[in-house]
């Protein structure tokens, strides 16, 4: 089970930290990812982190502003969102990868319920 938290309403330029707590799976054996679904749009990839955290991958739209990290002792993956823009408004989902490393953006097989991030002045 994956449970996201940390979503909120923030002003443009603000910051948030999203968390995703995992249970019932061998968290440290898999890559983890964050995805988002903006209003009226399809779900899109945001970031991925490998099993031990050595490798990360980002969508071009968030690179340099968002940071993915994980704590395998706490079975938790994080997404730090900085310099938020109105276009970052979306429901953010974490997902478990099928592999230890970050491969294709379609290689995720378990999903959380999402947490809402709204960026507005």
């Amino acid at each position: 089970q994956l449970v996201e938290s940390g979503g909120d309403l923030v002003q443009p330029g603000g910051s948030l930290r999203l968390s995703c707590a995992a249970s019932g799976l061998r968290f440290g054996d898999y890559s983890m990812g964050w995805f988002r679904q903006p209003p009226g749009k399809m779900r899109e990839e945001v970031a991925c982190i490998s099993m031990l955290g050595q490798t990360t991958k980002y969508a071009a739209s968030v690179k340099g502003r968002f940071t993915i990290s994980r704590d395998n002792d706490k079975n938790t993956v994080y997404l730090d969102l900085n310099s938020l823009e109105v276009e970052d408004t979306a429901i953010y989902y974490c997902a478990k990868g099928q592999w230890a490393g970050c491969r294709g953006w379609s290689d995720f097989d378990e999903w959380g319920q999402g947490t809402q991030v709204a960026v507005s002045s």
Side-chain angles (χ1 to χ4, degrees), residues 27-100:
F27 181 79
D29 286 354
Y30 299 100
S31 59
M32 296 294 295
W34 283 95
F35 293 75
R36 68 185 183 185
Q37 186 165 15
K41 297 184 179 180
M42 300 292 289
R43 186 172 62 196
E44 60 189 34
E45 62 271 11
V46 175
C48 177
I49 187 166
S50 60
M51 176 179 73
L52 296 180
Q54 311 101 310
T55 303
T56 56
K57 185 167 70 170
Y58 296 92
S61 59
V62 306
K63 197 169 186 178
R65 300 188 299 121
F66 292 6
T67 303
I68 188 171
S69 61
R70 67 190 294 163
D71 185 335
N72 286 354
D73 290 335
K74 295 182 178 179
N75 286 359
T76 301
V77 60
Y78 304 97
L79 185 68
D80 289 308
L81 294 69
N82 296 302
S83 302
L84 281 161
E85 304 169 353
V86 172
E87 292 74 22
D88 295 317
T89 295
I91 299 173
Y92 283 72
Y93 300 90
C94 73
K96 170 192 154 295
Q98 293 180 280
W99 316 107

